Amino acid sequence: MTLVHTQVLNPNGGRDGDPIAGLYTCDNCKWPNVGLGGNVTRNLPAATVHSAADISVWYPERASGRDFPDVPAHIASAADEAYRCRSFNALRAAVLMSRSVIESTCKEKEIVKGNLATKIDNLAEQGHIRAIIQAAAHEGSISLTVFRRISISKFPIPANDRRT
């Protein structure tokens, strides 16, 4: 992270003990990040007392995705994005990406007829998802768990591991 700017978080000017925010850019992706941490210290510029080590809160928080090595790249990418959305508490985006993963999975498995509920039933009937995932999807609680259990690759869920 590269510090670009610091700002004392007090509209009346900096006083000893006031918190400091720093605007950073990520050295890898170059996207902006804000870090809150450090306090104003008499006669020192904010940039001097604000360092990445002092940061207590980052915006955005660190995204955490997930790898899906046995899944086609276009589906794995969408699934990873759904996890990243969830890690930022962007729940609508996570649900929409999860739905995209399910639709893409169905297409990959040549399940193309019917609405989403019918396609989910077909995934379950063909052994690509467990019955409990099928039930959760029908209750309107499609979650990130749904696509975690979908098997796209040549390695379907083993018969002895199919739980209901």
Side-chain angles (χ1 to χ4, degrees), residues 21-80:
L23 175 63
Y24 291 80
T25 56
C26 174
D27 295 333
N28 294 318
C29 69
K30 307 303 181 207
W31 278 87
N33 295 272
V34 174
L36 302 178
N39 295 306
V40 173
T41 303
R42 186 177 307 276
N43 301 323
L44 292 175
T48 303
V49 295
H50 185 83
S51 71
D54 296 329
I55 307 276
S56 57
V57 179
W58 283 101
Y59 296 101
E61 296 173 1
R62 182 176 162 253
S64 56
R66 184 164 177 188
D67 291 328
F68 297 89
D70 297 329
V71 176
H74 66 285
I75 298 174
S77 173
D80 175 60

Side-chain angles (χ1 to χ4, degrees), residues 2 20-21 28 30-31 38 49 52 64 73 86 89 102 111 124 131 153 158:
T2 302
I20 301 170
N28 294 318
K30 307 303 181 207
W31 278 87
V49 295
S64 56
R86 174 62 184 97
N89 211 25
I102 294 168
I111 299 171
S153 69

